[in-house]
Amino acid sequence: MPKKQPRAAQFARQIQAVTGLPYTRCLKMCEPSEGSWGRLARELRAAGLTEAADHLLAVDAVTTEASTWFEAGGQIEGLYYYTDNPRVQRTYDACSDAADAVLSRAGFDRYSWDSGAEVYHAAFLVLSKAGTLPDGRTLARAALDVFADDATWCSDVIRSKGRSPFTYATAAGLTGPGTPTAVAARKAARAMARAAAIRFHGDEEWYEAAGIMVEVMWHAAEAAGLPPLEGRPNCQDHLRDFMDGEIPQR
């Protein structure tokens, strides 16, 4: 009786059937790897937040599968855009439909911020936990890694709700040791709560929440023992251009 194929092999065959790309190329796209979301899930599990870790891994699996379909469509575009545009359009549409189906089955809309919002929920839990420990640098670093270097993009994500109810209300009651790492982690978690509470209304609110997310990344970096906003040139620009170059003292 033949052995059951690993998930990556099954997925590669699906992509090959739709795109006509070589199997080895498809398999390379489907090989599992741990990104920032997976590392955050690992830290959640280490902190005893097993349910949140499992939830995050499920979100990661869904978005990774959808992204792989889009990547496959993009590879066809790169190969045949100038020689076989009908094939490009036909294949890209099929890959896009497959990605949409993956997201839809999980309850996500392709054009929503909900999957990212659920990752930010997990980052908040990790920062909250780091704020209760004398040295939660590893936790804080895992949370920091999931924030994009685009404050306005982060503004949209943090104010989205995800698929299920989540509250940042616990930020108000966070307590812990007075070490610099713990204090900075609690500041980052509380800033996330403030940003999440800003309503979608217009550009003023959009930029307000974006500025607060720069605060989040600043304090999360402090909690992680890293130079604030290092390697985040866009957030540095936002701090300079829209925040007078200063993080508010709260």
Side-chain angles (χ1 to χ4, degrees):
M1 189 172 181
K3 293 183 179 179
K4 185 177 181 181
Q5 286 185 312
R7 172 59 186 150
Q10 294 177 13
F11 189 23
R13 290 297 184 194
Q14 292 174 21
I15 291 177
Q16 182 187 32
V18 171
T19 63
L21 289 168
Y23 173 71
T24 52
R25 189 166 186 163
C26 296
L27 186 60
K28 187 175 180 61
M29 282 189 282
C30 299
E31 288 175 349
S33 62
E34 184 183 60
S36 61
W37 294 13
R39 289 191 294 273
L40 181 59
R42 180 154 39 86
E43 292 303 327
L44 281 165
R45 194 177 302 283
L49 300 169
T50 304
E51 184 177 350
D54 290 343
H55 180 86
L56 179 55
L57 286 174
V59 174
D60 188 26
V62 167
T63 56
T64 297
E65 186 172 349
S67 296
T68 304
W69 277 114
F70 285 122
E71 180 187 353
Q75 290 204 18
I76 290 294
E77 185 174 28
L79 288 169
Y80 300 107
Y81 185 80
Y82 294 105
T83 59
D84 193 349
N85 197 255
R87 177 181 177 178
V88 169
Q89 192 60 56
R90 181 175 64 252
T91 306
Y92 198 89
D93 287 347
C95 289
S96 181
D97 288 345
D100 284 347
V102 171
L103 293 169
S104 179
R105 284 196 300 271
F108 292 125
D109 182 82
R110 175 180 173 185
Y111 296 105
S112 78
W113 305 101
D114 283 346
S115 59
E118 295 190 13
V119 176
Y120 281 20
H121 298 167
F124 170 76
L125 294 175
V126 163
L127 287 168
S128 297
K129 183 67 176 181
T132 70
L133 304 173
D135 185 357
R137 282 178 293 178
T138 303
L139 289 167
R141 191 167 300 175
L144 177 64
D145 284 347
V146 304
F147 299 125
D149 180 29
D150 183 339
T152 51
W153 190 89
C154 292
S155 173
D156 286 321
V157 174
I158 191 67
R159 292 181 295 154
S160 298
K161 303 303 181 185
R163 297 167 297 177
S164 55
F166 183 87
T167 178
Y168 287 90
T170 55
L174 287 176
T175 60
T179 60
T181 294
V183 170
R186 293 196 298 271
K187 285 183 177 180
R190 289 174 186 141
M192 289 188 75
R194 292 200 313 275
I198 295 173
R199 301 174 66 181
F200 281 96
H201 184 65
D203 285 352
E204 184 176 348
E205 291 77 12
W206 188 36
Y207 279 97
E208 181 183 1
I212 298 173
M213 286 305 297
V214 172
E215 290 183 50
V216 170
M217 287 179 267
W218 181 285
H219 293 309
E222 289 180 322
L226 300 172
L229 304 186
E230 183 179 58
R232 296 176 184 270
N234 293 318
C235 286
Q236 293 175 21
D237 289 347
H238 192 96
L239 178 67
R240 182 193 66 235
D241 297 339
F242 299 102
M243 302 171 66
D244 298 325
E246 295 184 0
I247 295 295
Q249 299 300 311
R250 304 178 195 266

